[in-house]
Amino acid sequence: MYSDKQGKTSYNKLLDERNESITMNEANQPLDPQGQLSHYAPQQINIGDIIEHKFKRKLPRFVIRSIEKLIHQDEINYVLRKYGHIEGMAFIDFLMEYFGIHIKVYGKDRLPTDPRAMFVSNHPLGGLDGICLSHVIGTHYNSDIRYIVNDMLLFLHPFRNIFVPVNTLKGQSRNSVFRVNEALSSPYPVISFPAGICSRIINGKIQDLPWKHSFVKQALRSERNIVPIFFYGYNSRSFYNTELIRKKLGIKFNIGTSLLPREMFNAKGSNYVVCVGEPLLWENLKGAKLDAQAITTVVREKVYQLPEEFGLKTR
């Protein structure tokens, strides 16, 4: 697992203590240090309730059971029972350990001294890439982070103090706008995936969908430099093929997104590479008199040039 050589982060001691304090009995119930049932009540995911709450629609039970298996609901709930008492960056570190992920960072010396920047990345995996980048950047700066995400992820309570909700389907709520502005005005690093959803096969290559330009406006408004990042990793071939078939058949339901939990749990023990580009100074971007869409195109091009710079072959 990637670790910063500058030393342990301030929350590592908390991780060690919390990891020892919670054990599980044969029924996967949390026990306190004396071996008694703990009063801690972990969050448990019920995808049927989430769908009903989100889309105001109740699905038949047999459909819900199939979705539960598809998204690995039992394993998600096990992780929440085991580690759900931890929040924020500490929870991120537990997930890195649980999934056994190894990360190599190229261009690490390009990470700016001041953590108050906008870290902008491609979005190849749709889950683990966000967890990995949060870990890399949070560990490097020995800092908390803020990560702008689809608000469906906020159903996972341990992420709530680092995830900033945006709704990729509808307009933003007043609370969402407040949270975004709060994150931008904070001293913490902010991570953004401008594509919104993970990469697909487009024109024969695995790449992001068109990027939204909101991250440019956010960076300039909050006077944050933009740091281009390329996350080198892929989902399974079956994931991409499923999405191609969906498009050919004209199915509107985003099947790929429902497959992402399976992709994440199947990726245990994987090795990934993070490539860091030269920071783009917000003053220079503002002075260039380019509109937000033009700057978005520039940043995306710089991100996708990084693999070649570091000798990595993309698909």
Side-chain angles (χ1 to χ4, degrees):
M1 184 171 67
Y2 168 89
S3 61
D4 191 274
K5 298 300 183 182
Q6 295 176 350
K8 284 189 175 182
T9 59
S10 59
Y11 45 78
N12 275 357
K13 184 178 179 182
L14 172 64
L15 300 188
D16 295 339
E17 292 174 351
R18 293 288 183 85
N19 198 28
E20 292 299 324
S21 66
I22 298 290
T23 56
M24 313 292 284
N25 64 12
E26 292 181 358
N28 279 331
Q29 296 171 311
L31 304 177
D32 63 22
Q34 286 72 46
Q36 302 299 313
L37 280 178
S38 172
H39 294 295
Y40 159 69
Q43 178 197 17
Q44 294 290 270
I45 296 298
N46 184 317
I47 190 61
D49 289 346
I50 292 175
I51 290 173
E52 185 175 354
H53 172 80
K54 185 73 179 176
F55 300 104
K56 312 300 181 191
R57 182 180 178 185
K58 194 166 186 175
L59 298 179
R61 182 58 196 158
F62 76 92
V63 175
I64 294 298
R65 286 199 197 96
S66 298
I67 297 175
E68 288 172 353
K69 291 180 180 178
L70 182 67
I71 69 167
H72 287 245
Q73 178 170 293
D74 287 346
E75 190 165 5
I76 291 173
N77 284 335
Y78 169 79
V79 171
L80 290 172
R81 287 194 298 272
K82 179 71 175 174
Y83 303 125
H85 58 295
I86 304 297
E87 295 186 354
M89 289 304 300
F91 185 65
I92 291 286
D93 276 6
F94 270 130
L95 291 180
M96 292 294 293
E97 183 177 335
Y98 179 80
F99 284 103
I101 300 301
H102 301 268
I103 306 174
K104 187 165 187 176
V105 182
Y106 292 152
K108 187 179 175 184
D109 58 314
R110 294 173 171 176
L111 290 171
T113 304
D114 184 0
R116 195 178 179 278
M118 177 79 74
F119 298 83
V120 178
S121 175
N122 62 316
H123 199 12
L125 304 182
L128 271 181
D129 43 6
I131 291 169
C132 292
L133 278 184
S134 298
H135 175 74
V136 168
I137 293 171
T139 302
H140 177 77
Y141 290 111
N142 191 16
S143 168
D144 207 346
I145 59 103
R146 294 294 180 266
Y147 171 22
I148 298 175
V149 298
N150 184 324
D151 62 2
M152 290 186 74
L153 293 176
L154 288 175
F155 279 105
L156 296 177
H157 295 173
F159 286 135
R160 287 185 299 186
N161 67 340
I162 61 174
F163 280 9
V164 180
V166 293
N167 192 325
T168 59
L169 302 176
K170 301 178 181 178
Q172 305 308 314
S173 67
R174 182 176 299 179
N175 180 61
S176 176
V177 172
F178 173 80
R179 288 285 307 278
V180 170
N181 290 334
E182 183 181 48
L184 293 173
S185 62
S186 76
Y188 303 124
V190 173
I191 300 172
S192 177
F193 293 112
I197 62 175
C198 75
S199 304
R200 305 293 202 267
I201 294 179
I202 303 172
N203 298 326
K205 284 187 67 71
I206 298 174
Q207 57 183 304
D208 278 0
L209 277 67
W211 283 13
K212 299 176 178 64
H213 60 252
S214 55
F215 78 93
V216 173
K217 295 181 177 180
Q218 292 165 350
L220 297 184
R221 187 173 73 245
S222 59
E223 300 183 350
R224 288 174 177 264
N225 297 333
I226 295 176
V227 182
I229 290 179
F230 185 87
F231 192 99
Y232 188 80
Y234 297 96
N235 283 320
S236 68
R237 178 56 62 179
S238 65
F239 171 84
Y240 301 114
N241 289 341
T242 299
E243 274 296 287
L244 288 175
I245 293 171
R246 176 185 73 85
K247 285 189 176 182
K248 286 183 179 180
L249 295 178
I251 300 173
K252 292 184 178 180
F253 176 69
N254 198 331
I255 300 173
T257 298
S258 65
L259 296 176
L260 291 179
R262 184 190 70 179
E263 294 293 318
M264 182 169 66
F265 283 103
N266 287 345
K268 288 180 180 178
S270 294
N271 298 289
Y272 298 117
V273 176
V274 170
C275 303
V276 182
E278 294 286 354
L280 303 172
L281 303 183
W282 70 267
E283 300 98 328
N284 294 346
L285 293 173
K286 202 166 189 178
K289 300 187 183 301
L290 297 174
D291 63 23
Q293 189 57 56
I295 294 175
T296 299
T297 300
V298 169
V299 177
R300 178 176 172 132
E301 288 176 352
K302 288 187 176 296
V303 165
Y304 277 94
Q305 288 168 0
L306 288 171
E308 184 178 356
E309 178 182 347
F310 291 104
L312 299 173
K313 281 190 175 183
T314 56
R315 300 180 192 172

